Amino acid sequence: MKSSALLGKLYLIPTTLGESDPMDVLPQTIKRSIDFIDHYIVENEKTARKSIKAVSPEKKQSDLILFTLNKRTENSEHLDFIKPLLEGKNVGLMSEAGCPGVADPGAVIVKLAHEKGIQVVPLVGPSSILLAMMASGMNGQSFTFNGYLPIDKDEKKSALKHFEKLSQDKNQSQIFIETPYRNNKLVEDILQILNPATHLCIATDITLPTEFIKTMRAADWKKLKVDLHNRPTIFIIHKMQ
């Protein structure tokens, strides 16, 4: 294994959570990092280039070398992605939205970097999961992110009942997400399945001008109509003891 002094560093570079001014939600360390990094591992080249340009307009796009990491990427390609790091070049890892490595395919690259003795540098930026948790009023001392719920109706019902029971038994807030175009249907399912007294937080368009975050009991949500179609949303449930 090479000496760490001869290796590049893997910078974990957060992006905005939507169409917002990067300077409203990203610290200057993001721009300073982008200014000196030319190699990037990204989910989508087009949106990554757009994000880089928004943060650092003077950065030459022709200088950028981008590797695409998504669900179609073969495991055998991962070593190619980190070759610049092994050659002493710094590399930026960027998520499609928010923080890389969290609910994001970039975690496999971070794991590989650790295995190769490469220094990993996480940079500060917006995480929809943490921001929703902060704003929910639920248990910030104990919470779990569960990713996506099952699509099958019966499996989804079982999952929701399981998370509701966990939240009560462990006093642990349960966080999950849905594909944005299915959000409204999920809300209908949640309100049909949960105990009326269970608290539900819906956090939508976080950090954007259309941001909506509200926590109420399920029974009260039935009185309020919200349209979440195609809007990035975090859901948190907690049945209080």
Side-chain angles (χ1 to χ4, degrees), residues 21-42:
D21 185 340
M23 294 304 100
D24 286 343
V25 293
L26 300 177
Q28 283 296 314
T29 50
I30 301 297
K31 183 181 187 311
R32 288 197 294 267
S33 299
I34 287 175
D35 284 344
F36 71 79
I37 296 174
D38 293 329
H39 293 76
Y40 294 86
I41 301 169
V42 304

Side-chain angles (χ1 to χ4, degrees), residues 11 38 43 54 56 60 69 71 78 81 94 100 125 143 152 177 181 192 202 215 228-229 234 238 240:
Y11 286 80
D38 293 329
E43 283 191 74
S56 183
K60 291 183 179 179
L69 174 69
K71 61 185 179 182
H78 297 165
F81 293 173
M94 299 177 69
F143 55 89
D152 179 82
I177 54 177
Y181 72 84
Q192 288 177 1
I202 295 177
T215 299
L228 307 177
H229 183 65
I234 301 288
H238 198 143
M240 308 297 182

Side-chain angles (χ1 to χ4, degrees), residues 28-240:
Q28 283 296 314
T29 50
I30 301 297
K31 183 181 187 311
R32 288 197 294 267
S33 299
I34 287 175
D35 284 344
F36 71 79
I37 296 174
D38 293 329
H39 293 76
Y40 294 86
I41 301 169
V42 304
E43 283 191 74
N44 181 286
E45 180 173 342
K46 182 178 179 180
T47 55
R49 286 183 178 276
K50 182 179 178 181
S51 295
I52 291 169
K53 185 175 182 179
V55 173
S56 183
E58 65 276 15
K59 183 83 174 180
K60 291 183 179 179
Q61 291 285 318
S62 58
D63 290 341
L64 300 177
I65 300 171
L66 274 58
F67 303 96
T68 303
L69 174 69
N70 54 38
K71 61 185 179 182
R72 292 180 294 276
T73 304
E74 298 290 339
N75 291 342
S76 58
E77 297 179 70
H78 297 165
L79 278 175
D80 289 333
F81 293 173
I82 70 163
K83 275 184 180 178
L85 289 161
L86 299 174
E87 295 168 353
K89 300 180 181 70
N90 295 312
V91 173
L93 176 65
M94 299 177 69
S95 176
E96 189 75 355
C99 295
V102 180
D104 171 77
V108 298
I109 299 299
V110 178
K111 178 177 179 291
L112 185 57
H114 283 297
E115 291 172 355
K116 298 296 182 180
I118 294 164
Q119 182 179 347
V120 176
V121 183
L123 301 181
V124 174
S127 164
S128 58
I129 298 168
L130 286 179
L131 290 171
M133 193 64 231
M134 288 164 58
S136 69
M138 297 186 186
N139 189 2
Q141 300 294 331
S142 181
F143 55 89
T144 298
F145 176 66
N146 298 286
Y148 291 91
L149 295 181
I151 296 176
D152 179 82
K153 184 176 180 179
D154 291 336
E155 292 178 2
K156 183 190 301 181
K157 180 178 180 179
S158 295
L160 282 168
K161 295 302 290 184
H162 173 67
F163 294 147
E164 184 179 48
K165 187 174 188 303
L166 274 181
S167 72
Q168 183 177 37
D169 293 347
K170 295 188 175 184
N171 189 27
Q172 182 182 75
S173 299
Q174 302 294 318
I175 310 171
F176 49 90
I177 54 177
E178 178 57 284
T179 305
Y181 72 84
R182 295 195 186 109
N183 281 339
N184 287 338
K185 181 63 171 67
L186 178 59
V187 172
E188 292 177 10
D189 293 339
I190 289 173
L191 298 183
Q192 288 177 1
I193 293 167
L194 294 187
N195 184 291
T198 295
H199 283 79
L200 166 66
C201 174
I202 295 177
T204 299
D205 291 346
I206 298 173
T207 74
L208 305 183
T210 52
E211 180 179 270
F212 172 85
I213 304 174
K214 197 170 187 63
T215 299
M216 296 191 297
R217 290 180 173 84
D220 296 321
W221 275 110
K222 291 182 178 181
K223 306 171 188 175
L224 181 66
K225 180 68 174 177
V226 292
D227 184 7
L228 307 177
H229 183 65
N230 279 343
R231 300 169 67 185
T233 302
I234 301 288
F235 300 90
I236 312 175
I237 62 173
H238 198 143
K239 187 176 183 183
M240 308 297 182

